[in-house]
Each structure stands twice: as C-alpha cells, then as structure tokens.
C-alpha cells in the first residue's frame, strides 16, 4: 500500500480462527484505528469487524515513525491480542509459529488490498461490507444498521458513535 491512496483492505485471522468474535477483541481493532486516526496517520472511510476477519476502506496519510500506518495497526492489534490471550494458553497455542522474529502470528501474512478509484467502487465495497453480518453463515443481525461493529449506521442513519470516520463523499 502507498500513502494517500484509498484502499479496500481485507485480512483474516490465521486459519480463520474466530478470534475477534468477542467485543473485547473487536474494541482492540477499533481502538487501534482511532489511535492512528488521532495521530493523523490514517483515514478510515468504512469498516466491518467480523468474527475472524475485517474489511476496511482506508487511506494511509503519513508514516508512523518509519512504517506505514497499516503495518503499525497490524503489529499493535497483534500485541494486544497476545496480551489478552496470555491467560488462555489453549487458544494462544493456536497462534504459535516457528521463527526467530516472533512466537505468535494472529493475522494472515498477506491481506488483500484493492485501490478504490472512484465513488462507485467505494459504494459497492461499502455495500458488500455492510451486508456481511447478514450472510446466512454469520447471521449476526437482521438489519445491517443493528451490527455495532460496522460503519453502516454512520452512513445510513448518520450515527455519530464512530465520529472518527471520514465520509467517503467528502473525498470522492
């Protein structure tokens, strides 16, 4: 990913383990995004946090030290997941990996990033993301606005609980 380019980004937990199925883990994801937004390193246009993966439309706007903000996001959330799981060895062991640079891997190594060229593509991806919790295999809610960990109500109902989001219509 490059600076000042809007991307649709999807990344899953290793082996699709439903690690982020509890509110505590979802808040780790949100808190990390908010931190980078407040430091003016990142803009987030839309998101959904699912039990084992996330979809985000975002823009890296400035380096966080020497690294891209999305790298900081992945590292920080991984550290926070490790801290939360340090009391649950059976689950933590699912993320143990061989290697010299770390003992655990929570996110898959390569997420999928697609450049968002125009408003229509952003709207298509937002629609896909916001409907994700309604899919039969998830069945998390019956109305996408009811799913708390999504930007749907920000756009559909002008909900201000995620006031840290940037409205894509102000950019495209």
């Amino acid at each position: 990913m490059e600076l000042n380019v809007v991307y649709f980004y999807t990344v899953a937990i290793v082996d699709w383990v439903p690690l982020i199925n509890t509110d505590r883990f979802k808040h780790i994801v949100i808190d990390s995004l908010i931190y980078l937004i407040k430091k003016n390193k990142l803009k987030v246009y839309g998101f959904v946090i699912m039990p084992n993966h996330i979809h985000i439309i975002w823009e890296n706007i400035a380096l966080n030290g020497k690294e891209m903000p999305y790298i900081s996001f992945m590292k920080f959330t991984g550290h926070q997941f490790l801290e939360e799981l340090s009391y649950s060895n059976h689950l933590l062991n699912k993320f143990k990996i061989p290697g010299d640079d770390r003992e655990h891997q929570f996110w898959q190594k390569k997420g999928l990033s697609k450049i968002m060229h125009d408003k229509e593509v952003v709207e298509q991806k937002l629609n896909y993301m916001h409907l994700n919790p309604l899919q039969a295999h998830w069945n998390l809610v019956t109305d996408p606005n009811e799913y708390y960990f999504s930007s749907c109500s920000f756009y559909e109902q002008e909900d201000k609980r995620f006031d840290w989001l940037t409205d894509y219509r102000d950019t495209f």
Side-chain angles (χ1 to χ4, degrees):
M1 282 190 258
E2 299 176 21
L3 291 175
N4 303 308
V5 177
V6 179
Y7 291 91
F8 170 75
Y9 183 70
T10 298
V11 66
I13 298 296
V14 168
D15 295 330
W16 295 88
V17 173
L19 177 63
I20 43 181
N21 63 342
T22 66
D23 287 0
R24 177 65 195 123
F25 284 90
K26 289 179 180 91
H27 280 291
I28 288 171
V29 172
I30 288 174
D31 292 346
S32 181
L33 292 172
I34 292 171
Y35 175 80
L36 290 165
I37 290 165
K38 286 186 176 179
K39 284 185 67 179
N40 295 314
K41 306 298 180 188
L42 190 68
K43 286 183 183 178
V44 176
Y45 300 96
F47 75 97
V48 66
I49 304 170
M50 300 301 291
N52 61 8
H53 67 284
I54 59 174
H55 300 293
I56 304 174
I57 297 175
W58 60 9
E59 178 180 3
N60 295 275
I61 55 176
L63 292 177
N64 188 35
K66 294 182 179 181
E67 67 188 8
M68 293 290 283
Y70 81 93
I71 297 292
S72 298
F73 168 80
M74 302 301 282
K75 284 182 181 178
F76 181 78
T77 54
H79 288 294
Q80 294 299 113
F81 293 165
L82 179 61
E83 189 174 310
E84 283 293 316
L85 292 174
S86 63
Y87 305 105
S88 176
N89 284 341
H90 76 284
L91 188 54
L92 186 57
N93 287 336
K94 290 183 178 191
F95 301 102
K96 202 160 189 60
I97 60 166
D100 296 331
D101 64 335
R102 72 186 99 185
E103 291 183 32
H104 300 90
Q105 176 86 31
F106 296 98
W107 297 109
Q108 290 179 353
K109 286 196 184 241
K110 294 206 178 203
L112 172 68
S113 58
K114 299 268 187 192
I115 295 175
M116 300 287 93
H117 294 288
D118 57 41
K119 180 180 173 182
E120 290 74 28
V121 176
V122 172
E123 289 171 347
Q124 184 261 335
K125 291 299 185 188
L126 280 171
N127 189 48
Y128 168 77
M129 289 170 25
H130 295 158
L131 294 177
N132 209 263
L134 280 70
Q135 291 183 8
H137 64 281
W138 295 118
N139 200 27
L140 298 173
V141 290
T142 56
D143 176 343
N145 289 294
E146 293 173 4
Y147 190 64
Y148 183 85
F149 296 98
S150 163
S151 55
C152 185
S153 63
F154 174 83
Y155 288 106
E156 299 290 322
Q157 299 177 336
E158 298 180 21
D159 184 347
K160 300 301 181 203
R161 68 180 154 194
F162 297 124
D163 61 354
W164 44 267
L165 288 168
T166 298
D167 193 319
Y168 76 94
R169 295 167 290 203
D170 296 337
T171 302
F172 286 89

